[in-house]
Amino acid sequence: MTKKETKYIFVVGGVISGVGKGITSSSLGLILKNRGLNVTSIKIDPYINVDAGTMNPTEHGEVFVLKDGDETDQDMGNYERFLDINLTRLNYMTTGRVYKSVIEKERNLEYKGKCVEVVPHIPLEVIGRIKEAGKNASADVVVIEVGGTVGEYQNMLFLEAARMLKLENPKNTAFVMVSFLPTPQKIGEMKTKPTQNAVRTLNASGIQPDILIARASSSLDDKRKEKISLFCNVHPSNVISAPDVDSIYDIPINFEKEKLSEKLCEILNIKTKKADDKAWKKWKDFAKHAHNGKEVVKIAMIGKYFETGDFILSDSYLSVIEALKYSSYLQNRKPVMTWLNSTDFEKNPAKLKDLKKYDGIIIPGGFGSRGVEGNLSVIKFARENKIPYFGLCYGMQMIVIEYARNILGLKDANTKEVNPNSKNLVIDVMESQKEILKRNSYGGSMRLGEYKALLREGTIAKESYASSLQGRSLKDFKKGPAFVTERHRHRYEVNPSFIGDLEAKGLVFSGRSPDGHLMEIAELPKSKHPFFLGTQFHPEFLARPLSPHPLFTSFIKACINKKK
Ligand code: GLN
């Protein structure tokens, strides 16, 4: 492009939720990035919560933490992974966040005495945020995913913002609708009517989709394409068939088979060079792995946030799952994950021995006391039976509790979160947080976002990062102290007064905050256990398809070795 004109693509959903708007938005971003464009992505969540931090994962899925500590929606993780970019709080908004800032501005007299109205002031605030995010990223294209489904009361003001932005920038704004075409079992025919109705509803908001992504269990035939085209007013070549796939990483590839990036560039009048074949090949090679890997690694994931009624919802740990895939694919393996409920090990300890059939065990992040005793028994079992164990955040804190109880003999060792009356609070709040907590300001007491950790020589942690640096230069890493930067989301820390005793008995704190006060990684030396390591941070948030996370890679390697 010659003169910099930012382009905006809104992605909205029709018919039902859960048809992959997030992955569609991520894939659109990727195929445009691949044409040499600078792309950034925005997620709009229509709920009142100011961020996703206060929501239960079974309600909403994973809370994805950005480098600046913003607690956001799991789709932000998809954008970061597909586009290999780092987003900030400017890229995320909710109804609550938008209203909050309008109200704050009103209190600050920023509307200069005007009557502040829902329309236009709320949509204008939304537009302002979209533009700011674009500017901050020097983006050529901003992809904006509007959460929810058209026709919902909740996202109307965001659609109003989209309409107004189009009015202001007619040539630079495009609309993509991701719709669903059901094939009712008894009828056996793919139906277009719900999509027709969804487009009409969107039309009622003054918006006409330029592209229609037709999600369905199978590919669209020409007849269906023509029908949708005629009734929805979309050119047949802009009706894109998006059948179910085994791997989400094939979706950008499928989109390109339908020449989607070319079409978008045409609609938005973007002139680019041809697609970057080298980068594209890397992606295609990566995506192929999902179908290769005949051999599997069997991972047990122990958690509690995956039951919703009779269904299992693995969304709560989405980034962990993806991180496991990247590191497994790298070694030509396919991860097979089994979800085990931690409370089951409390009810029936005999189940522990079943864990032997897995190549590795993961305990991911979590909050509260439910399931903790079950987790502790799993960790003890993994330690004693030399099963590779990787603890993420709470899963690291529990390494410390288990070690204190069973090796140091501190029978009531615990975290303040579970038993504030324990005499041996090996996991505790730090002095500086106590005042904040007294004011009942829970949000303010969390350690969120990026912090540095200094790695200790001769440890699994240091070795892992040194052997696959995940984008960091080896030169920098070798020159001086080995620092890594990782994302955090937790309130409690390893209590400094127990560190001496724990280390004397063999637990190694191989990563610490630069001032040495906060423990970032705990591990057992390789001579004692093939892989027994936990991180206070969440490495899963920085695992990317083309640069898997070093610690996940080491864990998977240990799992493969166990198999042998
Ligand atoms: N509940 C623990 C804490 O707040 C761990 C949090 C987590 O696993 N994300 O410190």
Side-chain angles (χ1 to χ4, degrees):
M1 279 183 297
T2 41
K3 196 173 133 262
K4 182 106 168 179
E5 271 186 348
T6 313
K7 310 285 179 175
Y8 303 97
I9 301 175
F10 285 91
V11 179
V12 302
V15 181
I16 54 169
S17 64
V19 285
K21 272 199 315 292
I23 299 296
T24 300
S25 306
S26 308
S27 303
L28 286 186
L30 176 64
I31 56 178
L32 291 170
K33 182 185 172 191
N34 197 42
R35 300 185 80 96
L37 297 165
N38 192 4
V39 181
T40 194
S41 301
I42 294 178
K43 172 77 194 256
I44 294 177
D45 267 332
Y47 43 66
I48 298 284
N49 302 57
V50 172
D51 59 40
T54 53
M55 269 179 278
N56 187 322
T58 47
E59 290 264 325
H60 174 264
E62 174 182 82
V63 175
F64 188 83
V65 181
L66 304 182
K67 68 179 196 170
D68 62 12
D70 202 18
E71 296 172 279
T72 70
D73 181 73
Q74 60 187 33
D75 277 325
M76 298 292 282
N78 288 322
Y79 308 157
E80 285 202 349
R81 288 187 284 264
F82 274 68
L83 291 165
D84 199 11
I85 50 174
N86 293 312
L87 300 168
T88 73
R89 61 184 65 241
L90 294 174
N91 297 78
Y92 184 64
M93 70 180 110
T94 67
T95 297
R97 194 169 281 194
V98 171
Y99 269 86
K100 194 165 173 264
S101 55
V102 169
I103 291 168
E104 274 163 12
K105 282 183 187 165
E106 183 274 326
R107 293 289 82 188
N108 290 337
L109 262 176
E110 285 177 45
Y111 292 101
K112 301 198 167 44
K114 274 218 176 92
C115 173
V116 184
E117 315 247 23
V118 171
V119 179
H121 293 103
I122 296 296
L124 283 175
E125 173 70 24
V126 174
I127 292 173
R129 284 168 171 260
I130 293 172
K131 288 184 178 168
E132 203 186 334
K135 209 165 127 204
N136 182 57
S138 313
D140 301 312
V141 183
V142 187
V143 180
I144 308 120
E145 177 187 349
V146 182
T149 315
V150 298
E152 251 171 42
Y153 186 74
Q154 289 217 84
N155 58 20
M156 242 144 70
L157 288 166
F158 295 107
L159 295 178
E160 184 69 354
R163 182 190 65 78
M164 284 162 61
L165 189 63
K166 168 93 180 178
L167 184 69
E168 186 190 314
N169 275 296
K171 288 199 192 104
N172 295 334
T173 309
F175 295 105
V176 175
M177 182 189 235
V178 186
S179 193
F180 178 68
L181 285 88
T183 307
Q185 225 175 29
K186 285 270 150 49
I187 303 174
E189 188 200 326
M190 195 187 283
K191 295 306 227 177
T192 63
K193 189 78 82 211
T195 295
Q196 296 176 33
N197 287 334
V199 171
R200 291 218 168 103
T201 309
L202 187 63
N203 289 160
S205 304
I207 294 172
Q208 168 61 40
D210 299 285
I211 301 264
L212 210 142
I213 311 268
R215 290 278 299 109
S217 51
S218 54
S219 295
L220 238 62
D221 56 5
D222 286 344
K223 178 136 187 243
R224 239 76 13 194
K225 273 199 181 181
E226 279 157 25
K227 219 169 171 182
I228 290 180
S229 167
L230 180 66
F231 290 108
C232 301
N233 218 7
V234 176
H235 194 276
S237 70
N238 287 351
V239 180
I240 308 287
S241 170
D244 287 348
V245 285
D246 290 335
S247 162
I248 52 171
Y249 300 108
D250 287 337
I251 292 173
I253 299 171
N254 292 349
F255 280 174
E256 278 311 62
K257 281 184 192 149
E258 304 233 7
K259 297 200 165 44
L260 184 55
S261 70
E262 208 179 296
K263 284 172 191 169
L264 282 167
C265 287
E266 216 176 275
I267 293 167
L268 288 166
N269 194 21
I270 303 175
K271 299 209 171 34
T272 62
K273 296 183 291 280
K274 254 196 81 196
D276 175 354
D277 289 337
K278 244 205 221 141
W280 195 228
K281 186 178 177 309
K282 271 195 194 155
W283 183 270
K284 287 213 273 205
D285 286 346
F286 155 75
K288 230 185 261 165
H289 279 299
H291 308 284
N292 292 343
K294 279 181 212 91
E295 277 193 75
V296 299
V297 260
K298 285 191 279 177
I299 314 284
M301 288 266 282
I302 322 284
K304 62 175 175 181
Y305 298 122
F306 38 69
E307 283 170 341
T308 71
D310 290 339
F311 299 94
I312 288 214
L313 184 85
S314 51
D315 266 14
S316 325
Y317 305 110
L318 188 64
S319 296
V320 180
I321 301 171
E322 300 312 302
L324 284 167
K325 284 185 193 165
Y326 310 152
S327 288
S328 304
Y329 293 170
L330 194 66
Q331 290 159 91
N332 276 317
R333 295 291 200 288
K334 219 181 224 177
V336 174
M337 283 158 256
T338 306
W339 308 95
L340 301 173
N341 206 320
S342 42
T343 48
D344 288 351
F345 297 100
E346 293 166 9
K347 287 180 224 139
N348 183 6
K351 273 198 165 173
L352 283 168
K353 63 176 185 321
D354 296 344
L355 289 171
K356 283 195 175 162
K357 62 178 187 234
Y358 298 100
D359 304 322
I361 299 170
I362 288 197
I363 297 186
F367 291 85
S369 51
R370 186 166 63 89
V372 166
E373 289 303 319
N375 281 335
L376 290 167
S377 66
V378 169
I379 295 173
K380 178 168 186 278
F381 190 84
R383 181 173 55 76
E384 290 176 345
N385 291 280
K386 302 209 187 313
I387 305 171
Y389 169 74
F390 194 11
L392 310 173
C393 206
Y394 217 3
M396 175 268 203
Q397 296 178 351
M398 285 187 256
I399 284 186
V400 177
I401 300 170
E402 190 275 325
Y403 214 75
R405 283 192 190 178
N406 300 317
I407 304 290
L408 265 53
L410 308 172
K411 289 293 164 226
D412 77 333
N414 219 325
T415 161
K416 186 165 185 145
E417 187 172 357
V418 173
N419 177 12
N421 301 320
S422 153
K423 283 196 199 65
N424 294 294
L425 286 175
V426 291
I427 307 293
D428 201 352
V429 281
M430 300 287 98
E431 280 306 319
S432 57
Q433 295 169 295
K434 285 183 182 158
E435 275 309 305
I436 307 173
L437 279 171
K438 254 190 231 153
R439 297 197 300 268
N440 219 355
S441 175
Y442 274 87
S445 65
M446 284 263 246
R447 190 146 78 102
L448 288 167
E450 267 186 8
Y451 287 90
K452 273 191 172 159
L454 179 61
L455 305 181
R456 185 192 280 192
E457 280 304 324
T459 57
I460 298 180
K462 170 76 202 282
E463 241 176 62
S464 309
Y465 280 100
S467 62
S468 82
L469 277 164
Q470 200 203 353
R472 297 164 188 90
S473 113
L474 191 64
K475 229 172 53 211
D476 293 348
F477 201 71
K478 275 194 170 153
K479 239 187 289 173
F483 284 108
V484 289
T485 306
E486 295 279 359
R487 296 188 190 169
H488 295 67
R489 180 177 185 242
H490 63 108
R491 180 167 294 117
Y492 301 90
E493 306 279 355
V494 179
N495 185 340
S497 37
F498 291 92
I499 290 164
D501 289 348
L502 288 160
E503 289 218 305
K505 291 277 186 192
L507 193 65
V508 177
F509 289 101
S510 50
R512 296 175 189 227
S513 59
D515 65 5
H517 293 328
L518 306 175
M519 299 303 110
E520 293 279 13
I521 310 176
E523 63 178 79
L524 281 179
K526 251 194 184 143
S527 56
K528 287 206 189 136
H529 194 290
F531 190 99
F532 188 80
L533 183 147
T535 56
Q536 185 59 84
F537 49 83
H538 290 268
E540 67 272 23
F541 292 147
L542 285 184
R544 304 270 163 89
L546 302 181
S547 49
H549 194 284
L551 293 175
F552 276 91
T553 303
S554 287
F555 169 67
I556 293 292
K557 279 186 183 156
C559 295
I560 294 170
N561 278 336
K562 173 186 178 265
K563 217 186 182 72
K564 283 182 196 154

